[in-house]
Amino acid sequence: MYKFLNIIYTAPNNSNLTNYTLMEKSFDFLASIEKPSRYLGSEINAVRKIANETRLRVALAFPDLYEIGTSHFGLQILYHILNSQPDVAAERVFAPAPDMEAYLRHSERPLFSLESHTPLNRFDIIGFSLLYELNYTNMLTMLELSGIPWLAAERDLSHPFIIAGGPCTCNPEPVAEFFDAMVVGDGEAVVVELVRAWFEWKQSGTRDRQALLERWCVIEGVYVPAFFEARYDASGLQTVVPRFNSYTTVRRAIAGDLDDAPFPYHPVIPFGKPVHDRLRIEVSRGCTRGCRFCQAGMLYRPVRERSPGKVFDLAVQALAATGYEDLSLLSLSTSDYGCIIPLMQRLMGRYASERVAISLPSLRAGTLSPDLMDLIRQVRKTGFTIAPEAGSQRLRDVINKNISEPEIIETVGDAFRMGWQLVKLYFMIGLPTECDEDLNALVDLAFRLRKLKGPGGRRGQINISVATFIPKSHTPFQWAPQITLAESRDRLRWLQGRLKPAGIEFKWQNPEMSRLEGSWARGDRRLGPVLRAAHRRGCRFDGWSDHLNFRAWMEAFADAGVDPDFYLTRTRDVREPLPWDHIDILVDRAFLASEWEKALAASGLTADCRFGACNACGVCDFKAIAPRVNSQFAPQEDETDHSTGLPTAPYRKLQVSYSKLGSARFFGHLELVNIFFRALRRAGIRLKYSEGFHPKPKVSFGNPLPTGMESEDERMIISVADSVNPAALLRRLNAQLPEGLQVHTCTEDIQDQPKRCAFRVCFGKNPIEGLESSLDKLDYDQNLVIVSPKGKLKKVALRDILLDVRPADSNSLDMILGCEPGKTVRATEVLKQAFGLTEEKVKTVGIRKLKTAATIEKQ
């Protein structure tokens, strides 16, 4: 059982962020920050340990926004593994949004962790998850905001050790100078070994950073960049030379059996709107379909399926701990999972009546049968996406996609016939050997799919997304050139001009973004200075099209004297040294070269070894490392009917009152609704649901409060089964709510919304001078301009809205506002329009909605 505590930390003496004490309860500054709940750290299932009861403190850092990072399943796994150890406290930190970065710099406050709001430079280890090359500038931002030197060579014992993991570490060289150590491969076992070695190093009393690195480098999967030297030949090709004869290559770490791998049974439930707002369970890892462009298909070999019984058990535990209404079964190709249909049947048998939808985010044409589609749509139709990658059969064979055009057409046709109205398809341009005929074939395929019809002869919507092909390390196409920026633009423009008919929507990835990503994907250590130059020029969030500053990046390359085309547009000789040659992902270079030659010669397909002979890629030793595929799954006798079910009748309505105070004032209305929905599910409260394609709980809320406003008395009406006891509902629901939310009453006596509401306005450290005299001068005849629920401007007389106002003390005032339908005005609008406060000033004002207006009237 984890312990929780409010903790106060002070910045260390050696920090340039001096004289600053960061307290967990100091949330006032968030009033002026966009989406403030990103920075609270009070989510359900977050772990906050007592500081003096742990020996090692680790910050798990994700160099992108909270909504992206909290959706990363690997981060949840590491968080669970580390916090399962009694002597370790793991906390999370994400890249601050631009407004938060500006605030931290202006206030000279350090970047802090979520759970305890501890400055990052107080941690022992900071571990970055590197999933995307265009997040690298955010990594530098996070270090800089923490007062931590960027370069590993400039850090000493007063600084944390900076490590990294994730798929980008398969070519670690572009960012090697920033890290003390990097993990290559599966991290579950490696992170435990890193911690063990840290404890041993600490206990030894050695005051030497290199001594710990020497302990770490003997762990399989750990790369210590300082123990390798980069050298360049006359052609500019990098060779990495080891400094020690005993440490010449880094072998990828592999988790052999997923049934034995740790799983976060109680994952953190993010606030706001994460990009993947659902429970995720990894059903398998690895793919041997052999797509020649796909880095993940090479990095994560062999296929290791989690047993269906284990998947089912994990789903039962994690859904109970989260209250999620969506379950996503993760893998590189979930429809390839050996027992997908019996697993889906059992999951739907257990959860369909509880309105839990199940999605398969990675689908493959040809393996997605009508039976499987029918299971997916039982609760509600989730997204439907397939990736043909290329328009012509010739080019699909070149990339070894192993799907045919009839399979694509049949799969999309089945989807439309079974009620899906939208299908998304992903393609790439610039694949090796691509020609005009392949682009024409893409257009022809889109038109054929557009003609397919669903029930009643209705045509479905086809969304086409196209990205420029980016050659990646450790793939057969690692020797291929990337097409130029001009070529990308020309081909995208050509496609855009032809994919215009009704029923087809065409989207594309910014080709400038693809060009930049391609430089980093196959770059070397000379890109480190480029990254630093780009950061100094203001580059941040380069993976977001509205933030990418491509011109600044090109200037950064020029500043560092590096030509990006050296990494992009030339065809590499299969014999030349590659920057990542010292990283052994276990796939033989000869196998990759053979696949590259087969692609260029169009000399045939390579079959999936799961369903045929071994392709001798080099990964498996057929002892510890071997494919693990499930073929049978049947329910046990005592497991044939586990559905708790929801009663069809009778239901009754209950009115629940609740308060929203402290940090909870930063919940927006929609996230508040989600918080309550999931809390009700975790509490086991049986709710009535709406009918139709997307059933929702029958719960209604009063007028939404503005983000940042507190309230002592909000109300919602819920439809519950007759068997639900109101007193038990209060007790169980309160146990499932985050800090700042509390339910107070639950009754069948449904009361109308009050016609008047009382508010206390506190001006804090910035009171309004002459507050009392300004009240006397209020012009009650003035009109306030408000936006109606339908989005139209409307005028309302102040005297009809402001029913009473009086000073509470020298720093605050109380006011009563009318709340009748059609005449409701937010307290913030009264402060701006009647009192003349600016938008920024209103953000610094504390506003609390009081329990009753009579509280003020009696004063």
Side-chain angles (χ1 to χ4, degrees):
M1 182 65 69
Y2 300 124
K3 297 183 180 180
F4 297 83
L5 186 71
N6 298 328
I7 310 168
I8 299 175
Y9 289 107
T10 304
N13 293 331
N14 64 347
S15 171
N16 59 355
L17 306 163
T18 55
N19 301 320
Y20 177 66
T21 300
L22 189 58
M23 299 179 61
E24 185 182 8
K25 294 296 184 181
S26 299
F27 290 122
D28 290 346
F29 71 95
L30 292 179
S32 59
I33 300 297
E34 181 186 2
K35 299 182 181 179
S37 62
R38 290 169 168 165
Y39 309 104
L40 293 178
S42 56
E43 306 101 321
I44 295 297
N45 296 333
V47 178
R48 287 184 277 182
K49 294 189 176 182
I50 298 175
N52 60 8
E53 293 187 3
T54 60
R55 297 164 52 202
L56 171 62
R57 296 165 61 203
V58 180
L60 296 175
F62 196 94
D64 208 330
L65 294 178
Y66 174 90
E67 292 83 359
I68 307 298
T70 52
S71 299
H72 175 43
F73 187 65
L75 190 73
Q76 296 266 22
I77 293 175
L78 295 176
Y79 188 77
H80 164 71
I81 292 172
L82 291 169
N83 279 317
S84 296
Q85 301 195 48
D87 287 341
V88 180
E91 304 188 21
R92 298 161 298 140
V93 61
F94 303 93
D99 64 330
M100 184 62 162
E101 179 189 347
Y103 168 79
L104 293 174
R105 291 187 186 280
H106 178 73
S107 63
E108 297 185 341
R109 295 188 176 196
L111 183 63
F112 51 84
S113 66
L114 293 189
E115 281 74 4
S116 64
H117 281 202
T118 303
L120 285 200
N121 58 10
R122 297 277 295 181
F123 284 85
D124 301 299
I125 298 173
I126 299 175
F128 280 91
S129 294
L130 301 182
L131 274 69
Y132 185 30
E133 292 89 348
L134 298 191
N135 284 340
Y136 288 164
T137 52
N138 296 341
M139 172 190 74
L140 297 191
T141 299
M142 296 171 76
L143 292 176
E144 186 174 70
L145 289 174
S146 307
I148 299 172
W150 288 342
L151 300 180
E154 295 178 359
R155 295 192 288 265
D156 56 33
L157 284 171
S158 67
H159 300 112
F161 286 86
I162 310 300
I163 65 176
C168 288
T169 63
C170 69
N171 177 21
E173 292 309 290
V175 289
E177 68 181 23
F178 305 107
F179 291 99
D180 296 298
M182 307 175 85
V183 175
V184 180
D186 298 332
E188 290 95 335
V190 178
V191 70
V192 175
E193 289 299 302
L194 290 171
V195 167
R196 179 191 57 76
W198 187 91
F199 282 132
E200 292 174 354
W201 169 76
K202 199 72 172 176
Q203 190 172 7
S204 71
T206 304
R207 302 294 294 170
D208 182 2
R209 289 176 71 93
Q210 179 161 320
L212 177 58
L213 300 182
E214 290 173 354
R215 292 176 183 267
W216 277 353
C217 77
V218 300
I219 300 171
E220 185 166 85
V222 175
Y223 173 48
V224 177
F227 292 172
F228 290 81
E229 178 184 354
R231 296 178 184 173
Y232 304 91
D233 65 14
S235 301
L237 302 176
Q238 175 181 294
T239 302
V240 178
V241 179
R243 297 181 184 275
F244 305 105
N245 292 333
S246 60
Y247 184 52
T248 59
T249 59
V250 178
R251 178 183 167 94
R252 171 170 68 103
I254 295 182
D257 189 342
L258 288 193
D259 281 358
D260 296 332
F263 181 86
Y265 299 96
H266 294 75
V268 177
I269 307 171
F271 293 140
K273 191 64 177 174
V275 292
H276 300 301
D277 195 16
R278 59 187 67 92
L279 176 65
R280 290 144 293 154
I281 295 180
E282 186 183 26
V283 297
S284 69
R285 191 175 298 179
C287 176
T288 46
R289 285 285 183 176
C291 297
R292 291 167 180 147
F293 62 87
C294 182
Q295 188 180 60
M298 301 298 159
L299 289 184
Y300 298 111
R301 290 178 173 224
V303 173
R304 291 146 291 158
E305 293 186 351
R306 189 170 258 134
S307 68
K310 184 71 171 181
V311 172
F312 181 83
D313 292 343
L314 294 177
V316 170
Q317 295 179 67
L319 284 169
T322 59
Y324 277 120
E325 61 283 344
D326 290 277
L327 167 62
S328 183
L329 302 180
L330 297 182
S331 80
L332 291 174
S333 180
T334 306
S335 52
D336 282 337
Y337 181 73
C339 292
I340 188 61
I341 287 182
L343 174 61
M344 286 287 292
Q345 289 171 334
R346 187 170 171 194
L347 286 169
M348 296 309 299
R350 171 68 172 82
Y351 287 109
S353 61
E354 296 185 27
R355 311 302 199 274
V356 174
I358 301 176
S359 62
L360 312 181
S362 51
L363 305 174
R364 183 180 177 87
T367 61
L368 194 60
S369 66
D371 289 341
L372 184 53
M373 293 184 195
D374 189 53
L375 287 167
I376 295 172
R377 70 173 185 166
Q378 280 190 23
V379 172
R380 57 183 172 273
K381 296 181 184 69
T382 53
F384 196 105
T385 303
I386 59 175
E389 311 293 2
S392 70
Q393 192 61 51
R394 183 201 72 81
L395 193 53
R396 282 193 294 273
D397 290 347
V398 166
I399 66 176
N400 204 55
K401 186 63 181 178
N402 277 310
I403 58 172
S404 67
E405 184 165 306
E407 288 174 327
I408 297 169
I409 294 173
E410 182 181 10
T411 299
V412 175
D414 286 340
F416 286 149
R417 283 188 291 274
M418 300 189 76
W420 269 272
Q421 297 176 12
L422 170 66
V423 172
K424 300 177 183 178
L425 296 101
Y426 286 102
F427 294 90
M428 287 185 285
I429 57 169
L431 287 161
T433 77
E434 181 182 78
C435 58
D436 291 345
E437 287 77 9
D438 302 308
L439 297 177
N440 279 312
L442 191 161
V443 174
D444 292 343
L445 177 59
F447 275 69
R448 290 192 190 97
L449 297 176
R450 174 178 167 267
K451 294 178 181 178
L452 300 175
K453 297 179 180 180
R458 178 177 177 178
R459 288 181 177 176
Q461 172 75 25
I462 298 291
N463 282 9
I464 304 288
S465 293
V466 175
T468 301
F469 164 64
I470 302 170
K472 297 278 186 170
S473 62
H474 301 288
T475 69
F477 288 174
Q478 66 183 348
W479 293 285
Q482 183 170 330
I483 61 174
T484 66
L485 185 58
E487 289 172 317
S488 290
R489 288 171 173 161
D490 287 345
R491 296 182 197 189
L492 289 170
R493 203 162 22 240
W494 187 89
L495 289 170
Q496 184 183 18
R498 283 155 180 78
L499 294 174
K500 286 184 174 181
I504 297 178
E505 183 177 351
F506 177 66
K507 300 179 181 179
W508 63 93
Q509 184 183 42
N510 184 342
E512 294 177 343
M513 197 176 294
S514 300
R515 176 175 168 82
L516 185 58
E517 181 182 342
S519 301
W520 289 93
R522 296 186 293 171
D524 54 34
R525 291 198 187 186
R526 286 171 292 193
L527 291 184
V530 176
L531 184 64
R532 287 181 272 145
H535 188 275
R536 284 193 291 267
R537 288 183 173 275
C539 294
R540 310 282 194 279
F541 294 101
D542 307 295
W544 296 72
S545 57
D546 54 339
H547 288 282
L548 176 65
N549 187 340
F550 188 68
R551 171 186 249 177
W553 268 105
M554 293 303 99
E555 292 170 348
F557 275 100
D559 292 344
V562 175
D563 179 7
D565 282 338
F566 179 78
Y567 308 108
L568 291 168
T569 57
R570 64 186 183 88
T571 301
R572 288 164 166 76
D573 190 303
V574 293
R575 295 165 297 182
E576 76 175 52
L578 298 170
W580 50 90
D581 279 343
H582 56 303
I583 304 298
D584 181 9
I585 69 161
L586 306 184
V587 176
D588 289 342
R589 183 180 179 125
F591 172 78
L592 298 178
S594 172
E595 289 294 295
W596 171 234
E597 291 165 3
K598 286 172 70 174
L600 293 179
S603 59
L605 299 171
T606 301
D608 189 335
C609 63
R610 278 176 293 187
F611 314 116
C614 172
N615 291 316
C617 71
V619 169
C620 296
D621 60 11
F622 299 101
K623 296 177 183 177
I625 304 173
R628 296 177 184 271
V629 180
N630 300 288
S631 58
Q632 293 184 344
F633 180 49
Q636 302 298 317
E637 289 185 7
D638 63 339
E639 295 175 339
T640 55
D641 186 12
H642 275 213
S643 176
T644 59
L646 288 174
T648 55
Y651 295 99
R652 58 174 172 164
K653 290 184 177 181
L654 298 176
Q655 188 172 70
V656 177
S657 70
Y658 64 93
S659 56
K660 181 173 177 268
L661 305 173
S663 61
R665 70 188 185 274
F666 296 115
F667 298 145
H669 180 68
L670 293 180
E671 64 183 312
L672 180 76
V673 170
N674 268 338
I675 288 169
F676 270 111
F677 282 177
R678 288 166 183 168
L680 287 163
R681 293 181 71 97
R682 290 194 303 276
I685 307 300
R686 294 184 175 183
L687 299 172
K688 184 177 182 179
Y689 279 75
S690 63
E691 302 297 330
F693 289 116
H694 297 281
K696 296 290 185 182
K698 301 282 280 186
V699 180
S700 61
F701 291 79
N703 291 330
L705 290 174
T707 302
M709 183 183 293
E710 294 183 303
S711 178
E712 297 175 354
D713 185 26
E714 294 298 293
R715 299 174 190 178
M716 61 180 177
I717 298 174
I718 60 178
S719 295
V720 301
D722 255 357
S723 58
V724 174
N725 178 275
L729 183 149
L730 283 180
R731 183 181 66 255
R732 287 154 59 185
L733 187 53
N734 272 326
Q736 299 298 332
L737 292 174
E739 180 182 342
L741 289 178
Q742 185 176 5
V743 293
H744 299 286
T745 64
C746 180
T747 177
E748 288 187 273
D749 182 17
I750 309 296
Q751 299 180 0
D752 293 334
Q753 289 290 330
K755 295 182 178 180
R756 49 177 56 195
C757 300
F759 297 88
R760 175 154 294 162
V761 181
C762 180
F763 299 100
K765 298 178 181 179
N766 302 299
I768 297 178
E769 294 184 10
L771 176 61
E772 191 164 355
S773 62
S774 66
L775 296 181
D776 296 333
K777 298 176 182 178
L778 276 178
D779 179 10
Y780 283 89
D781 291 327
Q782 67 177 297
N783 288 324
L784 305 184
V785 179
I786 63 172
V787 180
S788 72
K790 295 183 178 181
K792 296 182 178 180
L793 294 179
K794 181 179 179 180
K795 292 183 179 180
V796 181
L798 178 61
R799 65 174 61 258
D800 294 335
I801 295 298
L802 186 58
L803 306 182
D804 191 11
V805 61
R806 64 188 69 175
D809 53 44
S810 61
N811 228 17
S812 60
L813 61 81
D814 292 333
M815 59 184 182
I816 297 177
L817 302 182
C819 300
E820 295 186 38
K823 293 184 178 181
T824 300
V825 178
R826 286 182 168 183
T828 52
E829 287 302 318
V830 174
L831 292 174
K832 285 188 287 186
Q833 297 188 47
F835 289 87
L837 271 64
T838 64
E839 181 78 34
E840 290 306 310
K841 176 67 176 177
V842 169
K843 289 181 179 179
T844 67
V845 169
I847 305 175
R848 175 179 290 195
K849 184 179 175 184
L850 303 179
K851 190 169 185 179
T852 63
T855 303
I856 294 177
E857 292 170 338
K858 291 178 180 178
Q859 290 179 358

